[in-house]
Amino acid sequence: MSFKSRSEPAEVTILRSLNNRMILAEKDKKRYYTLEKGYEGELMFDALTEKLQSHSLILNDLRLESNKSKFQLDSSIVFQAKINLFEVKNYEGDYYYENGKFYTLFKKEIQNPLHQLEREETLLREVLHNIGIKIPIESYVVFINPAFFLYQAPLNKPIIYSNQLPLFMKNLNMQPSNLNTWHMKLAEKLVSLHQTELPYDRLPPYEYGRLRKGTTCKRCNSFSVSVKGYKIVCGTCGCEEEVASAVIRGVEEINLLFPNIKITTNLVHEWCKIFESKKAIRRVLKQNYCFVGRKEFGFTHLND
Ligand SMILES: [Zn+2]
């Protein structure tokens, strides 16, 4: 189990919702697909590191800052005598490497993941130095997608391709590692420095009145869902969900898109759209959120 888990970046969740509820400009759509794909790649890598048996502390998605430079570490693993740092890329298709640069086959230069990795390693070293920790860092770019191919791939660069991963993981597993409280404190310290980032200044403009309303399927995002008793059923993929869970999902979606909006029964009723009466919505809100004013519910989840 990871010491710090990964959750879906708010930017991905919001862009998915916007992509479903309005027409995104091509560049925003592209950004959404790129982010979604990157996140999928990170989850694929997590599925591998989770299986590690050797003593280690896995820190997924650390966002740190050193001297006003912010940086994000996809995956860091603390072992007894080193920290392994991984920059995970879910690129797909054919690319080539020439004179220290990466290109698509259409000769379009892409950001060099090796430079990105170097920057992350340098900044992490600074952070560790500032908290008085000395431990070697060993970092790699991981091309996780089996459909990625790099022509003229450089030798002697810290790159792991998807078909090399089984052996790489096997080797990680075999190395002797014995962790003590010092390692635990190191991991705790890094997690305490993690900064959650709000994506609102990077999003395309959107407004409540112009977004398509309606409950969507939790699995396939389709709007073809209908209420059947205490459940909602998706007409596209057949997925079923408890009404209460769908309403809570709706509230969370509204709150993420519009953090300052007042959550009221009427608002949630309008947003979810598929429930005829407001009774069920009111009941779910009362059971899960606290009142903060007349008719208004606070977003503090009662179970938190
Ligand atoms: Zn569905």
Side-chain angles (χ1 to χ4, degrees):
M1 213 181 83
S2 63
F3 188 79
K4 180 189 172 297
S5 60
R6 183 187 311 281
S7 47
E8 182 172 273
E11 191 173 2
V12 173
T13 320
I14 294 177
L15 283 172
R16 183 184 304 121
S17 167
L18 293 181
N19 188 40
N20 218 8
R21 296 181 185 276
M22 66 186 262
I23 295 170
L24 285 181
E26 272 315 304
K27 68 169 178 32
D28 298 321
K29 232 183 213 176
K30 216 176 144 197
R31 177 161 174 78
Y32 161 55
Y33 291 134
T34 307
L35 288 174
E36 179 103 277
K37 197 163 174 116
Y39 179 59
E40 270 169 26
E42 288 162 11
L43 291 181
M44 279 155 76
F45 189 65
D46 294 350
L48 296 176
T49 58
E50 266 165 27
K51 290 191 206 131
L52 280 177
Q53 301 283 324
S54 72
H55 251 192
S56 60
L57 296 164
I58 304 171
L59 308 173
N60 292 322
D61 183 36
L62 270 183
R63 288 161 200 260
L64 305 173
E65 187 174 335
S66 176
N67 288 329
K68 302 229 162 82
S69 300
K70 291 183 188 248
F71 62 108
Q72 188 217 338
L73 307 174
D74 287 343
S75 180
S76 327
I77 309 184
V78 179
F79 289 99
Q80 182 182 345
K82 63 171 179 183
I83 295 183
N84 266 130
L85 187 65
F86 300 98
E87 172 59 40
V88 181
K89 294 291 181 205
N90 193 10
Y91 297 164
E92 196 175 321
D94 296 340
Y95 292 75
Y96 70 95
Y97 183 83
E98 199 171 77
N99 300 326
K101 290 175 178 166
F102 287 77
Y103 299 89
T104 68
L105 283 195
F106 304 105
K107 299 198 158 85
K108 186 176 169 249
E109 189 184 342
I110 57 161
Q111 191 194 22
N112 187 331
L114 292 166
H115 291 166
Q116 205 183 333
L117 186 73
E118 264 170 43
R119 174 179 181 270
E120 287 159 10
E121 188 180 313
T122 308
L123 292 169
L124 176 62
R125 192 165 286 125
E126 278 175 22
V127 168
L128 292 173
H129 178 80
N130 290 339
I131 56 175
I133 300 263
K134 247 183 151 175
I135 186 168
I137 304 171
E138 194 181 287
S139 32
Y140 297 93
V141 169
V142 177
F143 289 110
I144 191 91
N145 198 312
F148 170 80
F149 189 80
L150 186 65
Y151 287 95
Q152 298 167 196
L155 282 173
N156 309 323
K157 293 281 184 210
I159 297 178
I160 308 166
Y161 301 94
S162 104
N163 54 2
Q164 295 176 314
L165 275 165
L167 187 61
F168 183 85
M169 286 297 160
K170 200 173 154 195
N171 289 337
L172 269 192
N173 236 345
M174 291 205 310
Q175 63 184 358
S177 181
N178 225 328
L179 303 185
N180 55 35
T181 47
W182 182 85
H183 299 93
M184 198 57 120
K185 279 196 182 127
L186 159 61
E188 276 166 5
K189 183 71 194 169
L190 288 176
V191 173
S192 76
L193 295 172
H194 172 74
Q195 304 179 345
T196 358
E197 217 192 350
L198 292 174
Y200 295 101
D201 50 353
R202 288 195 302 270
L203 294 168
Y206 58 91
E207 47 190 284
Y208 181 84
R210 299 179 76 117
L211 292 185
R212 179 173 175 187
K213 309 294 184 296
T215 301
T216 53
C217 168
K218 65 170 180 179
R219 191 200 286 162
C220 75
N221 295 321
S222 158
F223 280 97
S224 316
V225 288
S226 49
V227 188
K228 294 215 168 89
Y230 289 109
K231 290 198 167 147
I232 64 161
V233 182
C234 174
T236 306
C237 76
C239 176
E240 292 188 357
E241 187 182 13
E242 301 280 331
V243 163
S245 145
V247 172
I248 291 174
R249 227 164 23 85
V251 176
E252 281 170 6
E253 191 176 357
I254 302 172
N255 184 60
L256 191 61
L257 289 166
F258 307 99
N260 299 320
I261 210 168
K262 285 182 180 172
I263 301 291
T264 62
T265 306
N266 282 344
L267 180 88
V268 178
H269 181 253
E270 182 185 56
W271 180 265
C272 291
K273 215 173 160 181
I274 55 168
F275 304 103
E276 264 182 46
S277 101
K278 294 177 188 166
K279 246 182 166 169
I281 290 174
R282 191 167 172 74
R283 197 189 61 233
V284 175
L285 288 177
K286 268 176 112 170
Q287 279 169 357
N288 293 279
Y289 302 94
C290 52
F291 270 118
V292 288
R294 220 170 73 85
K295 289 187 181 168
E296 188 194 342
F297 291 88
F299 194 69
T300 333
H301 216 283
L302 282 186
N303 300 326
D304 280 354

